[in-house]
Amino acid sequence: MTKRISFLIALVMALALLGGVVPAMAQGERQTINFWYHSAETVTDSVFAQIIEELNASQDTYEFVYTSFAFQDFQEKFQMAVVTNTMPDVVSLGFSNISTFTAQNSLLPLNDYVADMANYDKIDKGLLANLKSLGAGTIYGIPFAYNQEVAWYNTALFAEKGIEAPPMTQAEFLALCEKYADKQNGKYFASLRGVRPYDSMLAWLFTYTDGAGYNGSWFDENGKCILRDARFVEAMDKYADIYRNGWVSGDSVNNNFSEVVAEFGSGVSMYIVHNSSSDSTHRKNLGEGNYASARVLGNEEGRYFASGLQPNVYCVTNKGADNDYTGALELISQLIGAKYNGMLCEQVGRVPCNSEVEEQEWYKNNPNMMLYASYLTDPNYVQILNPYWLTDFSTMITNDMTADFQAVLLGDMTAEQCMTGWADRIDEYQAEYLAMQP
């Protein structure tokens, strides 16, 4: 026995001298829990690095490992992990991606686990209800934050130009776009997003048409998609004219969110529509006090439409009935707690899903958070009820909408062809979905 112990000690010392890894039995074994985040960004990564460091220092059972991916790369990376059986233990997902991965059985149903999950009872009940509805009663993730679609404007440039307040209606917005378009000097009132334009574009289309009278639904009383309606075609033409008239930069057709935010931050434009997550970038680019947020544009009736609350969610990957999910559930329980949920949302400008965060001082004193909260009590705000239950919807809004909208901007497709094509796709996806229902 003594010889065996001596041998093990000698082995450990030899490995150390050779730069090898000391066996887990000599270090105190921890279970590794891998967490993949779906939308890498400098501030977000910094916050998660701090959170993960604190969590690892607070206990000896798990080694939590954080990895992030650029938003445009994540779906392909996770898809490959599903196919090769190399999934992490926990992933974050955007709301629109949930149906895609539940269809592949890659997310663990959490109904049997949530009762014992710390902090679950503090998560907004309405958001949980939306997730249950999306999963036909099954919970596939825990919401932790959502982005509210808002307008951002450069207060310094507004003052310089004598603009007293941000536009409140689409008509006011168009007039300002025309008035302050200065192509010769590369300066404009607004920026337009040509790549993955769906949230801001859908807000424009539904607001312009007043939702065609269907209260944010994509479907009429016969179950057909309303986007082919002539009013939506007119709305698309008005939106595309902002680019075709030269009222925004020529780069707009290829602008993704980062380029739109960069134009705003460099003074190329003084007004953009983007969600709350860009707050930290505006602060870095323009400085505190040089920008502000405002409600999105309304129509002449005073109503304004924006995509329904789309929380980001933490999900446990499905590795089979025999897998031990304790560590993954523990990580999510900690991340949705008020401390870390508040820490994340304060820094990245997202709306927290843990109700206890609303009592934190930073939240109560943050004018942007108060604006986001006001949407939910404003009778003129209408949520666009995007059909996230359709498994092909995520791909459509990411790929098809980009290609078709760019074609409209460049004159390669008419607004009517575009809107009719989208309506036909949605009708096809909906028919397939309904055919699969019991």
Side-chain angles (χ1 to χ4, degrees):
M1 182 69 177
T2 303
K3 288 182 178 180
R4 184 182 179 189
I5 293 173
S6 299
F7 170 77
L8 287 174
I9 292 173
L11 177 61
V12 169
M13 292 177 64
L15 284 169
L17 288 171
L18 292 171
V21 178
V22 177
M25 61 178 290
Q27 293 181 323
E29 187 174 359
R30 291 181 180 225
Q31 180 185 353
T32 298
I33 303 296
N34 284 296
F35 167 39
W36 284 10
Y37 189 74
H38 73 288
S39 187
E41 185 269 330
T42 303
V43 176
T44 305
D45 288 345
S46 175
V47 175
F48 272 117
Q50 180 181 346
I51 291 173
I52 295 301
E53 182 179 4
E54 289 186 13
L55 289 176
N56 283 333
S58 68
Q59 46 76 45
D60 297 319
T61 306
Y62 306 108
E63 184 68 25
F64 299 118
V65 179
Y66 171 78
T67 306
S68 65
F69 299 87
F71 183 87
Q72 63 268 25
D73 298 332
F74 178 81
Q75 188 157 332
E76 180 182 349
K77 296 289 187 183
F78 187 48
Q79 198 80 262
M80 181 61 68
V82 172
V83 172
T84 58
N85 198 30
T86 57
M87 292 187 295
D89 302 282
V90 175
V91 294
S92 67
L93 293 177
F95 194 76
S96 61
N97 298 124
I98 297 172
S99 291
T100 300
F101 292 112
T102 55
Q104 299 175 354
N105 197 34
S106 56
L107 304 180
L108 181 72
L110 298 177
N111 297 57
D112 294 336
Y113 299 95
V114 292
D116 298 323
M117 184 178 290
N119 301 308
Y120 175 78
D121 60 333
K122 306 299 190 302
I123 301 300
D124 183 272
K125 301 300 186 291
L127 295 176
L128 286 171
N130 289 344
L131 276 172
K132 287 182 182 179
S133 177
L134 186 65
T138 301
I139 304 170
Y140 287 103
I142 309 299
F144 63 92
Y146 67 88
N147 298 323
Q148 182 63 62
E149 196 77 359
V150 293
W152 297 100
Y153 63 101
N154 185 318
T155 54
L157 287 179
F158 266 48
E160 179 185 314
K161 301 292 185 182
I163 307 173
E164 295 183 357
M168 297 302 291
T169 68
Q170 292 176 322
E172 292 173 2
F173 169 78
L174 291 175
L176 289 167
C177 285
E178 181 177 15
K179 181 176 180 178
Y180 290 103
D182 182 1
K183 186 175 182 179
Q184 183 175 353
N185 293 305
K187 303 291 184 181
Y188 304 90
F189 178 74
S191 291
L192 188 70
R193 182 172 177 176
V195 177
R196 300 183 71 249
Y198 56 91
D199 274 340
S200 53
M201 181 184 63
L202 289 175
W204 176 275
L205 296 174
F206 274 82
T207 298
Y208 188 94
T209 61
D210 205 36
Y214 291 101
N215 297 314
S217 174
W218 285 55
F219 301 96
D220 63 18
E221 63 275 10
N222 298 313
K224 295 297 183 180
C225 182
I226 63 176
L227 295 186
R228 61 173 60 86
D229 187 293
R231 289 167 287 184
F232 278 92
V233 175
E234 179 183 328
M236 175 58 84
D237 265 327
K238 286 287 186 183
Y239 196 57
D241 278 345
I242 300 170
Y243 175 80
R244 296 186 298 215
N245 291 340
W247 295 348
V248 290
S249 75
D251 295 328
S252 295
V253 68
N254 293 314
N255 277 354
N256 203 336
F257 75 93
S258 56
E259 288 77 22
V260 167
V261 171
E263 284 191 354
F264 181 66
S266 65
V268 169
S269 64
M270 61 182 102
Y271 178 99
I272 61 172
V273 175
H274 188 253
N275 63 53
S276 53
S277 68
S278 55
D279 185 13
S280 60
T281 306
H282 304 326
R283 190 181 309 119
K284 177 183 177 181
N285 290 341
L286 297 172
E288 195 74 56
N290 293 319
Y291 69 97
S293 59
R295 195 205 72 190
V296 293
L297 299 168
N299 54 33
E300 297 307 310
E301 289 74 27
R303 285 185 287 276
Y304 56 103
F305 290 65
S307 291
L309 303 184
Q310 307 166 60
N312 292 328
V313 297
Y314 295 127
C315 304
V316 178
T317 59
N318 190 353
K319 297 185 176 183
D322 296 331
N323 190 69
D324 179 9
Y325 296 107
T326 308
L329 294 167
E330 173 62 19
L331 175 59
I332 293 178
S333 295
Q334 293 293 333
L335 293 177
I336 65 174
K339 177 182 177 180
Y340 293 128
N341 192 222
M343 181 188 298
L344 176 67
C345 291
E346 179 182 9
Q347 294 300 315
V348 302
R350 291 193 174 95
V351 185
C353 295
N354 184 316
S355 59
E356 289 187 332
V357 178
E358 296 174 9
E359 300 304 316
Q360 295 176 1
E361 287 303 313
W362 76 266
Y363 180 91
K364 293 188 289 187
N365 295 323
N366 187 311
N368 293 330
M369 291 294 161
M370 297 303 100
L371 171 65
Y372 311 151
S374 73
Y375 278 54
L376 303 181
T377 57
D378 188 342
N380 288 315
Y381 169 53
V382 184
Q383 293 188 32
I384 302 171
L385 306 176
N386 294 327
Y388 293 116
W389 60 88
L390 304 178
T391 56
D392 290 314
F393 183 69
S394 176
T395 301
M396 175 185 166
I397 61 178
T398 300
N399 299 333
D400 297 342
M401 279 193 172
T402 294
D404 293 346
F405 181 54
Q406 288 177 327
V408 172
L409 295 181
L410 296 172
D412 297 329
M413 179 184 288
T414 67
E416 183 176 9
Q417 290 171 330
C418 177
M419 302 310 293
T420 300
W422 292 350
D424 288 346
R425 288 189 191 97
I426 292 296
D427 283 344
E428 178 186 345
Y429 300 154
Q430 177 75 343
E432 292 173 354
Y433 170 80
L434 293 175
M436 291 170 26
Q437 302 310 301

